[in-house]
Amino acid sequence: MEKRWWKEAIAYQVYPLSFKDSNGDGIGDLRGIIDKLDYIKDLGVNLLWLSPVYCSPMKDNGYDISDYYNVDPRFGTNEELDELIEKAKERGIKILMDLVINHCSDSHPWFKEALKDPEGKYGKYFIFKKGKDGKEPSNWRSIFGGSAWEKVEGTDYYYLHMFCKGQPDFNWNNKELRFKLYEIMNHWLEKGIGGFRVDAITHIKKDPNYPSVPVDGPDGFGEAAKYALNYTGIGDFLSEMRDETTSKYDAMMVAEAPGVPKEDFGEFVGNNGYFSMMFDFSYLYPSFELKAPWHKIKPFTTDQFKEALFASQEAMQKADAWQAPYLENHDLPRSVSRYIPCEDLNRQSASALATILLLLRGTPFIYQGQEIGMTNCSMKSVKEYDDISTLDYYQRAIADGFSEEESLEVCYDFSRDNSRTPMQWDDSISAGFSDSEKPWLKMNPNYKEINVESQQDDKNSLLSFYKELISFRKGKFKDVFVYGDFETFMTNEKNLFAYKRILDKDVLFVLVNFQNEEKEVVLPSEVKEIVFSNSGRNELSDTIQMKGYEAIVLRGQNQ
Ligand code: GLC
Ligand code: CA
């Protein structure tokens, strides 16, 4: 297998709004991140994905960019960003900038020009269509709710926004626009960054007729994915983008690529793929239909999760493709709240989950706070939520007849704000995130118990475990974990995650008893020794009694 630096990396995502506030305004900033670089380095990661810090009206927290070349003053200055890139580099960490190019902000100068003349040069950078019979050009629902079309006052035109109305979609059919976007990418690549995390990229191509779809909700709109997600021909744009940008540098791109079926993995992230790696959505919620309203998502079992996760690994391997295994990011609830029943939640179960994730095939991504076991945050009222998508899903639950309480419950399970509450550094006011007593988003009240300071010097803490696990992955078995094959075993054992990583003669068996109960496991005969454990086990016999949430790694010899 081809060796690449980014296959050997371990990534950490920082959500700048919530990581560390250095000037007491309640908003995280670049200086705060710079101040915490040693903390990040200490974890053992070497790739830092920075969610957007560009100028933005923040309708979608920076995923609505009004100037791709400048840092938003709330986060700091361009010089501070240069400093961050430089100081990270000194610590062996490469920065991944977030690249949001399916859409920009409605405050971007191109869009402001476009509104003045939808048929003019800048109008052609976006998607303007005339209405039909006094209504929208089609009945597509925007991902954040309501119509995906917004009327341009005083004209017959509507513009398309797959996300909120402050996020007009670019017209990727326009070559001039595409090359403007590549210019932006190359500007950042010239600064020596590691590459990009590419936002919502499978949305860039749409059916040119924008056909209406069957209505599937009380709002009278329908899900547009069939005509607007991973649409035929998207590959022409994606390969052009790669050839004009990252392939000229030793840079990587990790794609946020919802809607890519397993058959397309090779095309997207195989050896000659459009991207270096991608986030696969298929295992997040095994019962998840893309864009299903939250209140309609069914619960799933641990074994369904395991099957979906392993199927994703196998499909990637079969396609010679590379993925970025992850369980958390700024769009998802906290993984410990999602995958571990609350009565079982502790250091032991959280370390078991970490083991499952970090030894998989691919470049693992950890999200800020995951390493200390930050949990979902319960809000007392919908007013405490900030996220545009949470507010929409809350309304949709209410419209479907759910009570306020039930609708809040749904948000507790799914809201993106669960992972956006500020990072919990210590047990002082605002958890050491900020000197302000009123950070931009409510603190999770459990910061008094769950915080970095209380775990830092405790060698039994989750934080210490993460460091140990990361260093284990990077240690003497590194090549097996990075370049080795993935193979499942004991697949029928309930609540047991069992997989092998195999490279030539080396085999590592990862075994995680993901339940509170003990489990008797007969070890494969090739097992020679125990090389890693989350519970201090150091002796082996042919049959072992695994404790609840015990995770071990065994070394064997390939015959
Ligand atoms: C991606 C981002 C998400 C954002 C959306 C629109 O899914 O991760 O936060 O809201 O794209 O840019
Ligand atoms: Ca600040």
Side-chain angles (χ1 to χ4, degrees), residues 167-300:
Q167 294 168 300
D169 279 48
F170 283 126
N171 171 18
W172 272 73
N173 292 316
N174 181 338
K175 185 166 180 196
E176 183 180 312
L177 175 264
R178 294 202 304 276
F179 277 76
K180 287 276 180 208
L181 299 178
Y182 307 153
E183 247 174 56
I184 294 169
M185 294 173 71
N186 290 329
H187 166 81
W188 290 106
L189 287 167
E190 283 297 325
K191 289 186 180 286
I193 60 168
F196 300 103
R197 175 269 184 181
V198 194
D199 186 75
I201 197 66
T202 36
H203 293 275
I204 61 173
K205 180 145 196 196
K206 289 97 178 165
D207 185 300
N209 298 314
Y210 307 91
S212 276
V213 291
V215 173
D216 61 14
D219 56 4
F221 300 113
E223 161 60 51
K226 181 171 176 209
Y227 300 110
L229 193 64
N230 192 21
Y231 192 77
T232 321
I234 192 173
D236 297 340
F237 296 154
L238 298 178
S239 41
E240 178 187 84
M241 171 168 87
R242 173 201 59 205
D243 295 345
E244 294 295 332
T245 63
T246 43
S247 67
K248 298 181 180 167
Y249 301 77
D250 189 19
M252 63 161 276
M253 280 195 277
V254 52
E256 188 202 26
V260 176
K262 295 193 168 62
E263 308 85 82
D264 292 358
F265 283 172
E267 215 178 290
F268 270 74
V269 286
N271 277 331
N272 256 322
Y274 311 134
F275 301 102
S276 323
M277 62 187 90
M278 66 179 254
F279 297 118
D280 178 21
F281 279 55
S282 68
Y283 60 82
L284 284 184
Y285 302 102
S287 59
F288 181 81
E289 277 176 53
L290 205 63
K291 310 294 166 358
W294 289 346
H295 58 286
K296 293 198 173 154
I297 296 179
K298 294 182 226 78
F300 57 86

Side-chain angles (χ1 to χ4, degrees), residues 13-15 17-19 327-335 337 367-370 374-377 379 385 387 390 411-424 440-442 444:
Q13 179 189 357
V14 163
Y15 192 65
L17 279 174
S18 296
F19 193 60
L327 294 175
E328 286 188 27
N329 61 38
H330 64 292
D331 293 333
L332 292 170
R334 290 291 182 173
S335 61
S337 301
Y367 177 72
Q368 67 181 46
Q370 185 175 344
M374 281 179 65
T375 66
N376 281 0
C377 179
M379 303 289 185
Y385 283 109
D387 167 34
T390 305
C411 296
Y412 176 74
D413 286 340
F414 293 100
S415 173
R416 309 198 295 179
D417 280 343
N418 281 311
S419 56
R420 297 177 182 187
T421 60
M423 179 73 182
Q424 298 167 196
W440 75 276
L441 184 66
K442 175 175 155 172
N444 192 324

Side-chain angles (χ1 to χ4, degrees), residues 21 23 25 27 29:
D21 170 23
N23 62 355
D25 63 359
I27 299 173
D29 45 51

Side-chain angles (χ1 to χ4, degrees), residues 6 14 45 53 308 312 321 376 392 437 454 470:
W6 38 262
V14 163
V45 302
V53 291
S312 166
N376 281 0
D392 171 49
E437 287 179 29
S454 70
I470 289 169

Side-chain angles (χ1 to χ4, degrees), residues 13 15 49 51-52 59-64 98-103 143-144 162-164 167 197-201 203 256 258 281 291 329-332 387-389 416 420:
Q13 179 189 357
Y15 192 65
W49 158 19
S51 276
K59 296 205 172 123
D60 185 21
N61 292 0
Y63 285 89
D64 47 324
D98 215 310
L99 184 72
V100 189
I101 47 174
N102 172 67
H103 47 264
I143 289 158
F144 293 151
M162 293 315 296
F163 293 88
C164 83
Q167 294 168 300
R197 175 269 184 181
V198 194
D199 186 75
I201 197 66
H203 293 275
E256 188 202 26
F281 279 55
K291 310 294 166 358
N329 61 38
H330 64 292
D331 293 333
L332 292 170
D387 167 34
I388 186 169
S389 139
R416 309 198 295 179
R420 297 177 182 187

